[in-house]
């Protein structure tokens, strides 16, 4: 037996990319509700997931309209929740959050509005705590300029991969290294 298609991350079920025949499983509406039961979804995410499960264009369109009628999809609310959650619990910076939301099909204006909710001081505090945790050199090691430069590069890279802006990275890394040296 061949592979039927990708595996659903929530249920672990295999699903086909080919259109489903009528009565061959749960409806698009049921699938959408199950997806929303796991976590909130953007409109684009929901559409893509239903299509990938093999529902016809008509089924997807009808289900998306029904979700709208029931106010179950709201990209602005989704973006605000995503930013708050990922910023607080995953230590993501503005740049990473912007990329994640764009990948989920969120409009740039909504993304900008959601990112405005991040307090710059809180963002800096989270970046500082992350850099402090990642700094593996002690004060004696950091007395060597080569080790300091190495620590600066490593910490800058770690914060950059988390999506922090360059000005925050530079400031935080300098402060963390200085604090460890003292």
């Amino acid at each position: 037996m061949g592979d039927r298609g990708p595996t659903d991350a929530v249920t672990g079920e295999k699903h086909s990319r080919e259109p489903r025949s009528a009565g061959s499983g749960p409806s698009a509406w049921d699938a959408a509700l199950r997806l929303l039961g796991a976590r909130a979804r953007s409109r684009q995410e929901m559409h893509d997931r239903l299509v990938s499960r093999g529902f016809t264009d008509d089924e997807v369109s009808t289900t998306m309209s029904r979700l709208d009628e029931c106010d179950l999809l709201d990209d602005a609310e989704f973006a605000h929740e995503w930013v708050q959650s990922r910023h607080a619990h995953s230590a993501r910076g503005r740049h990473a959050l912007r990329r994640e939301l764009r990948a989920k099909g969120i409009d740039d204006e909504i993304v900008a509005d959601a990112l405005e909710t991040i307090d710059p001081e809180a963002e800096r505090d989270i970046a500082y705590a992350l850099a402090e945790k990642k700094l593996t050199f002690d004060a004696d090691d950091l007395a060597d300029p080569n080790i300091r430069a190495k620590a600066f590069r490593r910490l800058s890279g770690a914060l950059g991969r988390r999506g922090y802006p360059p000005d925050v990275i530079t400031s935080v890394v300098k402060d963390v290294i200085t604090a460890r040296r003292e």
Side-chain angles (χ1 to χ4, degrees):
M1 297 213 155
D3 185 28
R4 287 180 25 209
T7 302
D8 184 277
V10 176
T11 64
E13 299 171 358
K14 292 280 190 180
H15 49 271
S16 170
R17 293 186 188 274
E18 297 174 18
R20 303 152 58 102
S21 59
S24 67
S27 69
W29 177 251
D30 291 337
L33 292 179
R34 270 197 314 281
L35 287 168
L36 288 173
R39 70 168 175 80
R41 308 277 172 173
S42 69
R43 292 187 54 71
Q44 186 65 49
E45 246 186 320
M46 180 62 73
H47 179 273
D48 293 349
R49 292 296 296 270
L50 293 174
V51 168
S52 75
R53 288 185 174 200
F55 293 107
T56 66
D57 289 342
D58 287 342
E59 288 175 307
V60 171
S61 177
T62 301
T63 300
M64 294 298 289
S65 295
R66 192 170 170 195
L67 289 167
D68 287 338
E69 289 170 14
C70 296
D71 290 326
L72 293 176
L73 293 178
D74 182 344
D75 279 354
E77 184 179 329
F78 171 81
H80 284 278
E81 288 176 15
W82 185 266
V83 164
Q84 294 309 310
S85 174
R86 298 285 286 170
H87 181 65
H89 303 297
S90 298
R92 296 280 187 230
R94 291 172 194 269
H95 295 325
L97 294 169
R98 180 177 285 112
R99 278 191 309 271
E100 290 174 357
L101 289 171
R102 283 182 176 160
K104 294 185 177 306
I106 305 296
D107 182 64
D108 286 341
E109 188 175 311
I110 294 172
V111 171
D113 186 45
L115 291 175
E116 285 294 317
T117 64
I118 295 176
D119 175 32
E121 202 53 43
E123 182 178 43
R124 189 182 192 295
D125 291 345
I126 292 171
Y128 188 93
L130 181 62
E132 198 172 43
K133 178 180 165 185
K134 297 235 179 237
L135 182 59
T136 58
F137 299 108
D138 62 21
D140 293 336
D141 294 333
L142 292 171
D144 180 350
N146 291 329
I147 299 291
R148 267 196 317 276
K150 184 177 185 177
F152 190 92
R153 284 190 309 272
R154 284 183 179 177
L155 294 176
S156 295
L159 293 177
R161 286 185 296 279
R162 291 286 181 119
Y164 288 95
D167 60 321
V168 171
I169 293 171
T170 303
S171 169
V172 164
V173 171
K174 283 180 182 177
D175 290 352
V176 166
I177 289 173
T178 300
R180 180 68 57 93
R181 289 186 68 196
E182 294 173 352

